PDB file of all heavy atoms in Angstrom:
ATOM      1  N   GLY A   1     168.240  82.368 140.969  1.00 88.00           N
ATOM      2  CA  GLY A   1     168.397  81.495 142.116  1.00 88.00           C
ATOM      3  C   GLY A   1     167.497  80.290 142.054  1.00 88.00           C
ATOM      4  O   GLY A   1     167.315  79.584 143.067  1.00 88.00           O
ATOM      5  N   ARG A   2     166.930  80.008 140.899  1.00 91.00           N
ATOM      6  CA  ARG A   2     166.034  78.883 140.717  1.00 91.00           C
ATOM      7  C   ARG A   2     166.569  77.922 139.656  1.00 91.00           C
ATOM      8  O   ARG A   2     167.285  78.350 138.733  1.00 91.00           O
ATOM      9  CB  ARG A   2     164.631  79.369 140.282  1.00 91.00           C
ATOM     10  CG  ARG A   2     164.003  80.415 141.177  1.00 91.00           C
ATOM     11  CD  ARG A   2     163.211  79.821 142.305  1.00 91.00           C
ATOM     12  NE  ARG A   2     162.573  80.856 143.096  1.00 91.00           N
ATOM     13  CZ  ARG A   2     161.381  81.397 142.835  1.00 91.00           C
ATOM     14  NH1 ARG A   2     160.702  80.992 141.782  1.00 91.00           N
ATOM     15  NH2 ARG A   2     160.883  82.332 143.606  1.00 91.00           N
ATOM     16  N   ASP A   3     166.172  76.646 139.744  1.00 93.00           N
ATOM     17  CA  ASP A   3     166.519  75.698 138.690  1.00 93.00           C
ATOM     18  C   ASP A   3     165.769  76.069 137.419  1.00 93.00           C
ATOM     19  O   ASP A   3     164.613  76.449 137.443  1.00 93.00           O
ATOM     20  CB  ASP A   3     166.121  74.285 139.102  1.00 93.00           C
ATOM     21  CG  ASP A   3     167.033  73.702 140.179  1.00 93.00           C
ATOM     22  OD1 ASP A   3     168.162  74.209 140.292  1.00 93.00           O
ATOM     23  OD2 ASP A   3     166.581  72.806 140.923  1.00 93.00           O
ATOM     24  N   PHE A   4     166.473  75.994 136.300  1.00 94.00           N
ATOM     25  CA  PHE A   4     165.920  76.333 135.004  1.00 94.00           C
ATOM     26  C   PHE A   4     166.419  75.325 134.000  1.00 94.00           C
ATOM     27  O   PHE A   4     167.575  74.906 134.022  1.00 94.00           O
ATOM     28  CB  PHE A   4     166.370  77.747 134.592  1.00 94.00           C
ATOM     29  CG  PHE A   4     165.889  78.147 133.230  1.00 94.00           C
ATOM     30  CD1 PHE A   4     164.586  78.589 133.001  1.00 94.00           C
ATOM     31  CD2 PHE A   4     166.749  78.088 132.115  1.00 94.00           C
ATOM     32  CE1 PHE A   4     164.166  78.938 131.754  1.00 94.00           C
ATOM     33  CE2 PHE A   4     166.329  78.448 130.875  1.00 94.00           C
ATOM     34  CZ  PHE A   4     165.020  78.896 130.674  1.00 94.00           C
ATOM     35  N   SER A   5     165.527  74.909 133.092  1.00 94.00           N
ATOM     36  CA  SER A   5     165.905  73.911 132.087  1.00 94.00           C
ATOM     37  C   SER A   5     165.104  74.112 130.821  1.00 94.00           C
ATOM     38  O   SER A   5     163.996  74.698 130.835  1.00 94.00           O
ATOM     39  CB  SER A   5     165.718  72.484 132.615  1.00 94.00           C
ATOM     40  OG  SER A   5     164.347  72.224 132.855  1.00 94.00           O
ATOM     41  N   MET A   6     165.654  73.625 129.720  1.00 94.00           N
ATOM     42  CA  MET A   6     164.928  73.549 128.459  1.00 94.00           C
ATOM     43  C   MET A   6     165.417  72.281 127.750  1.00 94.00           C
ATOM     44  O   MET A   6     166.610  71.982 127.770  1.00 94.00           O
ATOM     45  CB  MET A   6     165.160  74.794 127.591  1.00 94.00           C
ATOM     46  CG  MET A   6     166.594  75.051 127.215  1.00 94.00           C
ATOM     47  SD  MET A   6     166.785  76.537 126.172  1.00 94.00           S
ATOM     48  CE  MET A   6     166.498  77.835 127.373  1.00 94.00           C
ATOM     49  N   GLU A   7     164.467  71.603 127.134  1.00 93.00           N
ATOM     50  CA  GLU A   7     164.820  70.318 126.511  1.00 93.00           C
ATOM     51  C   GLU A   7     165.660  70.515 125.267  1.00 93.00           C
ATOM     52  O   GLU A   7     166.668  69.832 125.073  1.00 93.00           O
ATOM     53  CB  GLU A   7     163.541  69.536 126.191  1.00 93.00           C
ATOM     54  CG  GLU A   7     163.806  68.136 125.625  1.00 93.00           C
ATOM     55  CD  GLU A   7     162.534  67.379 125.386  1.00 93.00           C
ATOM     56  OE1 GLU A   7     161.534  67.612 126.114  1.00 93.00           O
ATOM     57  OE2 GLU A   7     162.507  66.534 124.466  1.00 93.00           O
ATOM     58  N   THR A   8     165.258  71.421 124.404  1.00 93.00           N
ATOM     59  CA  THR A   8     166.007  71.690 123.177  1.00 93.00           C
ATOM     60  C   THR A   8     166.050  73.188 122.940  1.00 93.00           C
ATOM     61  O   THR A   8     165.177  73.942 123.381  1.00 93.00           O
ATOM     62  CB  THR A   8     165.368  71.009 121.956  1.00 93.00           C
ATOM     63  OG1 THR A   8     164.004  71.508 121.773  1.00 93.00           O
ATOM     64  CG2 THR A   8     165.340  69.498 122.132  1.00 93.00           C
ATOM     65  N   LEU A   9     167.088  73.596 122.211  1.00 92.00           N
ATOM     66  CA  LEU A   9     167.245  75.008 121.810  1.00 92.00           C
ATOM     67  C   LEU A   9     167.784  75.039 120.397  1.00 92.00           C
ATOM     68  O   LEU A   9     168.760  74.368 120.078  1.00 92.00           O
ATOM     69  CB  LEU A   9     168.203  75.730 122.757  1.00 92.00           C
ATOM     70  CG  LEU A   9     168.541  77.175 122.389  1.00 92.00           C
ATOM     71  CD1 LEU A   9     167.333  78.089 122.560  1.00 92.00           C
ATOM     72  CD2 LEU A   9     169.712  77.699 123.232  1.00 92.00           C
ATOM     73  N   GLU A  10     167.124  75.837 119.533  1.00 90.00           N
ATOM     74  CA  GLU A  10     167.594  76.012 118.160  1.00 90.00           C
ATOM     75  C   GLU A  10     167.855  77.494 117.907  1.00 90.00           C
ATOM     76  O   GLU A  10     167.032  78.337 118.242  1.00 90.00           O
ATOM     77  CB  GLU A  10     166.560  75.507 117.149  1.00 90.00           C
ATOM     78  CG  GLU A  10     166.019  74.108 117.424  1.00 90.00           C
ATOM     79  CD  GLU A  10     164.644  74.163 117.999  1.00 90.00           C
ATOM     80  OE1 GLU A  10     163.806  74.970 117.536  1.00 90.00           O
ATOM     81  OE2 GLU A  10     164.376  73.419 118.949  1.00 90.00           O
ATOM     82  N   LEU A  11     169.021  77.794 117.356  1.00 87.00           N
ATOM     83  CA  LEU A  11     169.378  79.157 117.010  1.00 87.00           C
ATOM     84  C   LEU A  11     169.730  79.223 115.546  1.00 87.00           C
ATOM     85  O   LEU A  11     170.379  78.313 115.001  1.00 87.00           O
ATOM     86  CB  LEU A  11     170.571  79.614 117.863  1.00 87.00           C
ATOM     87  CG  LEU A  11     170.331  79.844 119.349  1.00 87.00           C
ATOM     88  CD1 LEU A  11     171.637  80.193 120.031  1.00 87.00           C
ATOM     89  CD2 LEU A  11     169.302  80.933 119.582  1.00 87.00           C
ATOM     90  N   ASP A  12     169.329  80.321 114.903  1.00 86.00           N
ATOM     91  CA  ASP A  12     169.654  80.538 113.484  1.00 86.00           C
ATOM     92  C   ASP A  12     170.056  81.983 113.296  1.00 86.00           C
ATOM     93  O   ASP A  12     169.302  82.879 113.657  1.00 86.00           O
ATOM     94  CB  ASP A  12     168.459  80.177 112.600  1.00 86.00           C
ATOM     95  CG  ASP A  12     168.801  80.344 111.114  1.00 86.00           C
ATOM     96  OD1 ASP A  12     169.936  80.070 110.739  1.00 86.00           O
ATOM     97  OD2 ASP A  12     167.887  80.740 110.348  1.00 86.00           O
ATOM     98  N   PHE A  13     171.230  82.170 112.734  1.00 80.00           N
ATOM     99  CA  PHE A  13     171.748  83.526 112.493  1.00 80.00           C
ATOM    100  C   PHE A  13     171.797  83.786 110.999  1.00 80.00           C
ATOM    101  O   PHE A  13     172.342  82.976 110.243  1.00 80.00           O
ATOM    102  CB  PHE A  13     173.160  83.698 113.085  1.00 80.00           C
ATOM    103  CG  PHE A  13     173.230  83.486 114.579  1.00 80.00           C
ATOM    104  CD1 PHE A  13     173.556  82.231 115.082  1.00 80.00           C
ATOM    105  CD2 PHE A  13     172.947  84.514 115.443  1.00 80.00           C
ATOM    106  CE1 PHE A  13     173.639  82.036 116.461  1.00 80.00           C
ATOM    107  CE2 PHE A  13     173.027  84.325 116.808  1.00 80.00           C
ATOM    108  CZ  PHE A  13     173.361  83.081 117.316  1.00 80.00           C
ATOM    109  N   GLY A  14     171.244  84.897 110.588  1.00 77.00           N
ATOM    110  CA  GLY A  14     171.264  85.265 109.170  1.00 77.00           C
ATOM    111  C   GLY A  14     170.775  86.701 109.056  1.00 77.00           C
ATOM    112  O   GLY A  14     171.237  87.575 109.798  1.00 77.00           O
ATOM    113  N   THR A  15     169.855  86.955 108.146  1.00 80.00           N
ATOM    114  CA  THR A  15     169.238  88.277 108.113  1.00 80.00           C
ATOM    115  C   THR A  15     168.327  88.503 109.317  1.00 80.00           C
ATOM    116  O   THR A  15     167.956  89.624 109.607  1.00 80.00           O
ATOM    117  CB  THR A  15     168.404  88.443 106.829  1.00 80.00           C
ATOM    118  OG1 THR A  15     167.433  87.389 106.743  1.00 80.00           O
ATOM    119  CG2 THR A  15     169.311  88.348 105.604  1.00 80.00           C
ATOM    120  N   SER A  16     167.989  87.395 110.000  1.00 85.00           N
ATOM    121  CA  SER A  16     167.234  87.473 111.251  1.00 85.00           C
ATOM    122  C   SER A  16     167.893  86.584 112.293  1.00 85.00           C
ATOM    123  O   SER A  16     168.557  85.625 111.971  1.00 85.00           O
ATOM    124  CB  SER A  16     165.781  87.033 111.030  1.00 85.00           C
ATOM    125  OG  SER A  16     165.098  87.879 110.132  1.00 85.00           O
ATOM    126  N   LEU A  17     167.700  86.952 113.552  1.00 86.00           N
ATOM    127  CA  LEU A  17     168.087  86.104 114.655  1.00 86.00           C
ATOM    128  C   LEU A  17     166.859  85.326 115.103  1.00 86.00           C
ATOM    129  O   LEU A  17     165.890  85.914 115.582  1.00 86.00           O
ATOM    130  CB  LEU A  17     168.645  86.959 115.817  1.00 86.00           C
ATOM    131  CG  LEU A  17     168.858  86.215 117.134  1.00 86.00           C
ATOM    132  CD1 LEU A  17     169.861  85.069 116.967  1.00 86.00           C
ATOM    133  CD2 LEU A  17     169.309  87.187 118.231  1.00 86.00           C
ATOM    134  N   ARG A  18     166.881  84.020 114.926  1.00 91.00           N
ATOM    135  CA  ARG A  18     165.736  83.163 115.287  1.00 91.00           C
ATOM    136  C   ARG A  18     166.117  82.262 116.430  1.00 91.00           C
ATOM    137  O   ARG A  18     167.188  81.671 116.455  1.00 91.00           O
ATOM    138  CB  ARG A  18     165.292  82.352 114.070  1.00 91.00           C
ATOM    139  CG  ARG A  18     164.807  83.160 112.898  1.00 91.00           C
ATOM    140  CD  ARG A  18     164.299  82.243 111.782  1.00 91.00           C
ATOM    141  NE  ARG A  18     163.809  83.012 110.639  1.00 91.00           N
ATOM    142  CZ  ARG A  18     164.574  83.342 109.615  1.00 91.00           C
ATOM    143  NH1 ARG A  18     165.880  83.019 109.604  1.00 91.00           N
ATOM    144  NH2 ARG A  18     164.057  84.026 108.616  1.00 91.00           N
ATOM    145  N   ILE A  19     165.167  82.146 117.383  1.00 92.00           N
ATOM    146  CA  ILE A  19     165.352  81.291 118.558  1.00 92.00           C
ATOM    147  C   ILE A  19     164.125  80.409 118.726  1.00 92.00           C
ATOM    148  O   ILE A  19     162.994  80.906 118.617  1.00 92.00           O
ATOM    149  CB  ILE A  19     165.589  82.125 119.836  1.00 92.00           C
ATOM    150  CG1 ILE A  19     166.812  83.021 119.682  1.00 92.00           C
ATOM    151  CG2 ILE A  19     165.754  81.215 121.051  1.00 92.00           C
ATOM    152  CD1 ILE A  19     167.022  83.956 120.869  1.00 92.00           C
ATOM    153  N   GLY A  20     164.355  79.134 118.964  1.00 94.00           N
ATOM    154  CA  GLY A  20     163.273  78.200 119.254  1.00 94.00           C
ATOM    155  C   GLY A  20     163.647  77.315 120.413  1.00 94.00           C
ATOM    156  O   GLY A  20     164.794  76.887 120.526  1.00 94.00           O
ATOM    157  N   ALA A  21     162.697  77.060 121.339  1.00 95.00           N
ATOM    158  CA  ALA A  21     162.985  76.242 122.490  1.00 95.00           C
ATOM    159  C   ALA A  21     161.767  75.402 122.847  1.00 95.00           C
ATOM    160  O   ALA A  21     160.621  75.848 122.665  1.00 95.00           O
ATOM    161  CB  ALA A  21     163.389  77.102 123.693  1.00 95.00           C
ATOM    162  N   ASN A  22     162.011  74.203 123.333  1.00 96.00           N
ATOM    163  CA  ASN A  22     160.973  73.265 123.732  1.00 96.00           C
ATOM    164  C   ASN A  22     161.069  72.914 125.213  1.00 96.00           C
ATOM    165  O   ASN A  22     162.191  72.830 125.754  1.00 96.00           O
ATOM    166  CB  ASN A  22     161.025  71.984 122.898  1.00 96.00           C
ATOM    167  CG  ASN A  22     160.679  72.175 121.449  1.00 96.00           C
ATOM    168  OD1 ASN A  22     159.804  72.997 121.142  1.00 96.00           O
ATOM    169  ND2 ASN A  22     161.371  71.508 120.569  1.00 96.00           N
ATOM    170  N   ASN A  23     159.916  72.748 125.832  1.00 96.00           N
ATOM    171  CA  ASN A  23     159.824  72.261 127.211  1.00 96.00           C
ATOM    172  C   ASN A  23     160.705  73.071 128.162  1.00 96.00           C
ATOM    173  O   ASN A  23     161.673  72.569 128.732  1.00 96.00           O
ATOM    174  CB  ASN A  23     160.200  70.786 127.265  1.00 96.00           C
ATOM    175  CG  ASN A  23     159.242  69.915 126.481  1.00 96.00           C
ATOM    176  OD1 ASN A  23     158.059  70.234 126.366  1.00 96.00           O
ATOM    177  ND2 ASN A  23     159.731  68.815 125.944  1.00 96.00           N
ATOM    178  N   ILE A  24     160.341  74.334 128.319  1.00 95.00           N
ATOM    179  CA  ILE A  24     161.047  75.246 129.239  1.00 95.00           C
ATOM    180  C   ILE A  24     160.418  75.133 130.624  1.00 95.00           C
ATOM    181  O   ILE A  24     159.181  75.129 130.757  1.00 95.00           O
ATOM    182  CB  ILE A  24     160.975  76.686 128.727  1.00 95.00           C
ATOM    183  CG1 ILE A  24     161.540  76.791 127.303  1.00 95.00           C
ATOM    184  CG2 ILE A  24     161.670  77.630 129.658  1.00 95.00           C
ATOM    185  CD1 ILE A  24     161.280  78.118 126.648  1.00 95.00           C
ATOM    186  N   GLN A  25     161.249  75.058 131.651  1.00 95.00           N
ATOM    187  CA  GLN A  25     160.749  74.968 133.028  1.00 95.00           C
ATOM    188  C   GLN A  25     161.574  75.842 133.946  1.00 95.00           C
ATOM    189  O   GLN A  25     162.796  75.837 133.895  1.00 95.00           O
ATOM    190  CB  GLN A  25     160.806  73.516 133.542  1.00 95.00           C
ATOM    191  CG  GLN A  25     159.861  72.574 132.792  1.00 95.00           C
ATOM    192  CD  GLN A  25     159.878  71.171 133.405  1.00 95.00           C
ATOM    193  OE1 GLN A  25     160.766  70.799 134.156  1.00 95.00           O
ATOM    194  NE2 GLN A  25     158.862  70.382 133.069  1.00 95.00           N
ATOM    195  N   LEU A  26     160.857  76.611 134.792  1.00 94.00           N
ATOM    196  CA  LEU A  26     161.495  77.425 135.844  1.00 94.00           C
ATOM    197  C   LEU A  26     160.911  77.006 137.165  1.00 94.00           C
ATOM    198  O   LEU A  26     159.693  76.998 137.377  1.00 94.00           O
ATOM    199  CB  LEU A  26     161.246  78.919 135.593  1.00 94.00           C
ATOM    200  CG  LEU A  26     161.812  79.878 136.656  1.00 94.00           C
ATOM    201  CD1 LEU A  26     163.333  79.792 136.706  1.00 94.00           C
ATOM    202  CD2 LEU A  26     161.380  81.312 136.407  1.00 94.00           C
ATOM    203  N   ALA A  27     161.790  76.626 138.118  1.00 94.00           N
ATOM    204  CA  ALA A  27     161.333  76.086 139.389  1.00 94.00           C
ATOM    205  C   ALA A  27     160.610  77.124 140.211  1.00 94.00           C
ATOM    206  O   ALA A  27     160.878  78.327 140.121  1.00 94.00           O
ATOM    207  CB  ALA A  27     162.545  75.541 140.173  1.00 94.00           C
ATOM    208  N   ASN A  28     159.719  76.654 141.076  1.00 92.00           N
ATOM    209  CA  ASN A  28     158.932  77.508 141.933  1.00 92.00           C
ATOM    210  C   ASN A  28     159.702  77.752 143.234  1.00 92.00           C
ATOM    211  O   ASN A  28     160.764  77.166 143.482  1.00 92.00           O
ATOM    212  CB  ASN A  28     157.590  76.861 142.243  1.00 92.00           C
ATOM    213  CG  ASN A  28     156.469  77.884 142.386  1.00 92.00           C
ATOM    214  OD1 ASN A  28     156.719  79.063 142.672  1.00 92.00           O
ATOM    215  ND2 ASN A  28     155.236  77.466 142.196  1.00 92.00           N
ATOM    216  N   ALA A  29     159.191  78.645 144.072  1.00 90.00           N
ATOM    217  CA  ALA A  29     159.772  78.850 145.404  1.00 90.00           C
ATOM    218  C   ALA A  29     159.619  77.569 146.217  1.00 90.00           C
ATOM    219  O   ALA A  29     158.723  76.743 145.990  1.00 90.00           O
ATOM    220  CB  ALA A  29     159.083  79.987 146.099  1.00 90.00           C
ATOM    221  N   ASP A  30     160.508  77.376 147.194  1.00 89.00           N
ATOM    222  CA  ASP A  30     160.531  76.137 147.977  1.00 89.00           C
ATOM    223  C   ASP A  30     159.209  75.908 148.709  1.00 89.00           C
ATOM    224  O   ASP A  30     158.797  74.759 148.912  1.00 89.00           O
ATOM    225  CB  ASP A  30     161.677  76.156 148.993  1.00 89.00           C
ATOM    226  CG  ASP A  30     163.044  76.170 148.293  1.00 89.00           C
ATOM    227  OD1 ASP A  30     163.121  75.749 147.132  1.00 89.00           O
ATOM    228  OD2 ASP A  30     164.024  76.640 148.924  1.00 89.00           O
ATOM    229  N   TRP A  31     158.551  76.977 149.110  1.00 90.00           N
ATOM    230  CA  TRP A  31     157.325  76.849 149.928  1.00 90.00           C
ATOM    231  C   TRP A  31     156.069  76.766 149.070  1.00 90.00           C
ATOM    232  O   TRP A  31     154.964  76.567 149.587  1.00 90.00           O
ATOM    233  CB  TRP A  31     157.195  78.061 150.871  1.00 90.00           C
ATOM    234  CG  TRP A  31     157.432  79.383 150.186  1.00 90.00           C
ATOM    235  CD1 TRP A  31     158.575  80.105 150.167  1.00 90.00           C
ATOM    236  CD2 TRP A  31     156.484  80.121 149.407  1.00 90.00           C
ATOM    237  NE1 TRP A  31     158.428  81.237 149.440  1.00 90.00           N
ATOM    238  CE2 TRP A  31     157.141  81.277 148.943  1.00 90.00           C
ATOM    239  CE3 TRP A  31     155.169  79.925 149.034  1.00 90.00           C
ATOM    240  CZ2 TRP A  31     156.523  82.249 148.155  1.00 90.00           C
ATOM    241  CZ3 TRP A  31     154.534  80.879 148.246  1.00 90.00           C
ATOM    242  CH2 TRP A  31     155.217  82.013 147.816  1.00 90.00           C
ATOM    243  N   ALA A  32     156.181  76.872 147.770  1.00 89.00           N
ATOM    244  CA  ALA A  32     155.001  76.922 146.872  1.00 89.00           C
ATOM    245  C   ALA A  32     154.358  75.540 146.755  1.00 89.00           C
ATOM    246  O   ALA A  32     154.982  74.513 147.079  1.00 89.00           O
ATOM    247  CB  ALA A  32     155.373  77.456 145.504  1.00 89.00           C
ATOM    248  N   ASP A  33     153.125  75.523 146.268  1.00 87.00           N
ATOM    249  CA  ASP A  33     152.371  74.268 146.176  1.00 87.00           C
ATOM    250  C   ASP A  33     152.819  73.392 145.025  1.00 87.00           C
ATOM    251  O   ASP A  33     152.684  72.180 145.076  1.00 87.00           O
ATOM    252  CB  ASP A  33     150.864  74.558 146.013  1.00 87.00           C
ATOM    253  CG  ASP A  33     150.285  75.254 147.236  1.00 87.00           C
ATOM    254  OD1 ASP A  33     150.911  75.150 148.327  1.00 87.00           O
ATOM    255  OD2 ASP A  33     149.218  75.893 147.106  1.00 87.00           O
ATOM    256  N   THR A  34     153.338  73.995 143.948  1.00 90.00           N
ATOM    257  CA  THR A  34     153.739  73.253 142.764  1.00 90.00           C
ATOM    258  C   THR A  34     155.241  73.368 142.566  1.00 90.00           C
ATOM    259  O   THR A  34     155.849  74.380 142.914  1.00 90.00           O
ATOM    260  CB  THR A  34     153.015  73.768 141.506  1.00 90.00           C
ATOM    261  OG1 THR A  34     153.305  75.160 141.335  1.00 90.00           O
ATOM    262  CG2 THR A  34     151.507  73.585 141.644  1.00 90.00           C
ATOM    263  N   PRO A  35     155.876  72.344 141.971  1.00 93.00           N
ATOM    264  CA  PRO A  35     157.334  72.398 141.792  1.00 93.00           C
ATOM    265  C   PRO A  35     157.785  73.415 140.748  1.00 93.00           C
ATOM    266  O   PRO A  35     158.892  73.951 140.866  1.00 93.00           O
ATOM    267  CB  PRO A  35     157.681  70.971 141.366  1.00 93.00           C
ATOM    268  CG  PRO A  35     156.431  70.404 140.797  1.00 93.00           C
ATOM    269  CD  PRO A  35     155.314  71.045 141.550  1.00 93.00           C
ATOM    270  N   GLU A  36     156.964  73.692 139.734  1.00 94.00           N
ATOM    271  CA  GLU A  36     157.331  74.631 138.699  1.00 94.00           C
ATOM    272  C   GLU A  36     156.498  75.890 138.790  1.00 94.00           C
ATOM    273  O   GLU A  36     155.290  75.844 138.996  1.00 94.00           O
ATOM    274  CB  GLU A  36     157.166  74.025 137.288  1.00 94.00           C
ATOM    275  CG  GLU A  36     158.262  73.091 136.873  1.00 94.00           C
ATOM    276  CD  GLU A  36     158.014  71.681 137.425  1.00 94.00           C
ATOM    277  OE1 GLU A  36     156.827  71.310 137.556  1.00 94.00           O
ATOM    278  OE2 GLU A  36     158.997  70.973 137.718  1.00 94.00           O
ATOM    279  N   MET A  37     157.172  77.018 138.607  1.00 94.00           N
ATOM    280  CA  MET A  37     156.474  78.302 138.525  1.00 94.00           C
ATOM    281  C   MET A  37     156.056  78.627 137.107  1.00 94.00           C
ATOM    282  O   MET A  37     155.036  79.266 136.840  1.00 94.00           O
ATOM    283  CB  MET A  37     157.385  79.414 139.074  1.00 94.00           C
ATOM    284  CG  MET A  37     156.890  80.817 138.887  1.00 94.00           C
ATOM    285  SD  MET A  37     158.095  82.030 139.484  1.00 94.00           S
ATOM    286  CE  MET A  37     157.402  83.533 138.789  1.00 94.00           C
ATOM    287  N   LEU A  38     156.879  78.143 136.149  1.00 95.00           N
ATOM    288  CA  LEU A  38     156.631  78.415 134.740  1.00 95.00           C
ATOM    289  C   LEU A  38     156.984  77.188 133.908  1.00 95.00           C
ATOM    290  O   LEU A  38     158.055  76.609 134.084  1.00 95.00           O
ATOM    291  CB  LEU A  38     157.490  79.618 134.291  1.00 95.00           C
ATOM    292  CG  LEU A  38     157.574  79.875 132.766  1.00 95.00           C
ATOM    293  CD1 LEU A  38     156.229  80.334 132.232  1.00 95.00           C
ATOM    294  CD2 LEU A  38     158.655  80.907 132.463  1.00 95.00           C
ATOM    295  N   THR A  39     156.094  76.807 133.040  1.00 96.00           N
ATOM    296  CA  THR A  39     156.378  75.769 132.054  1.00 96.00           C
ATOM    297  C   THR A  39     155.869  76.248 130.693  1.00 96.00           C
ATOM    298  O   THR A  39     154.780  76.826 130.585  1.00 96.00           O
ATOM    299  CB  THR A  39     155.694  74.432 132.406  1.00 96.00           C
ATOM    300  OG1 THR A  39     154.275  74.614 132.437  1.00 96.00           O
ATOM    301  CG2 THR A  39     156.169  73.909 133.731  1.00 96.00           C
ATOM    302  N   VAL A  40     156.684  76.053 129.676  1.00 96.00           N
ATOM    303  CA  VAL A  40     156.344  76.455 128.301  1.00 96.00           C
ATOM    304  C   VAL A  40     156.634  75.276 127.384  1.00 96.00           C
ATOM    305  O   VAL A  40     157.744  74.761 127.398  1.00 96.00           O
ATOM    306  CB  VAL A  40     157.152  77.688 127.869  1.00 96.00           C
ATOM    307  CG1 VAL A  40     156.814  78.039 126.423  1.00 96.00           C
ATOM    308  CG2 VAL A  40     156.863  78.865 128.761  1.00 96.00           C
ATOM    309  N   ASN A  41     155.643  74.902 126.609  1.00 97.00           N
ATOM    310  CA  ASN A  41     155.827  73.790 125.673  1.00 97.00           C
ATOM    311  C   ASN A  41     156.687  74.173 124.504  1.00 97.00           C
ATOM    312  O   ASN A  41     157.630  73.449 124.140  1.00 97.00           O
ATOM    313  CB  ASN A  41     154.475  73.249 125.199  1.00 97.00           C
ATOM    314  CG  ASN A  41     154.604  72.039 124.280  1.00 97.00           C
ATOM    315  OD1 ASN A  41     155.266  71.078 124.637  1.00 97.00           O
ATOM    316  ND2 ASN A  41     153.981  72.104 123.121  1.00 97.00           N
ATOM    317  N   ARG A  42     156.415  75.339 123.901  1.00 97.00           N
ATOM    318  CA  ARG A  42     157.153  75.787 122.717  1.00 97.00           C
ATOM    319  C   ARG A  42     157.219  77.294 122.691  1.00 97.00           C
ATOM    320  O   ARG A  42     156.216  77.987 122.866  1.00 97.00           O
ATOM    321  CB  ARG A  42     156.484  75.278 121.435  1.00 97.00           C
ATOM    322  CG  ARG A  42     157.121  75.749 120.149  1.00 97.00           C
ATOM    323  CD  ARG A  42     158.512  75.193 119.954  1.00 97.00           C
ATOM    324  NE  ARG A  42     159.124  75.632 118.672  1.00 97.00           N
ATOM    325  CZ  ARG A  42     160.354  75.378 118.297  1.00 97.00           C
ATOM    326  NH1 ARG A  42     161.138  74.639 119.084  1.00 97.00           N
ATOM    327  NH2 ARG A  42     160.847  75.816 117.175  1.00 97.00           N
TER     328      ARG A  42
END
């Protein structure tokens, strides 16, 4: 029920499943002090 975004996503399928993502953001609750609850650079 929150806004969620990621700037880029890379997937690779082979002998391994690899996932990479940049600038991940999950919105905070409406009443919270900051707009994002979670931010991840990489």
Side-chain angles (χ1 to χ4, degrees):
R2 307 272 182 87
D3 288 337
F4 177 80
S5 65
M6 61 179 72
E7 184 176 330
T8 60
L9 175 69
E10 311 103 42
L11 291 176
D12 181 34
F13 300 95
T15 57
S16 297
L17 169 60
R18 297 184 179 90
I19 301 176
N22 291 324
N23 297 329
I24 303 171
Q25 294 185 343
L26 178 64
N28 214 338
D30 295 338
W31 47 262
D33 295 340
T34 59
E36 283 83 32
M37 172 183 168
L38 168 68
T39 61
V40 177
N41 183 51
R42 176 67 179 175

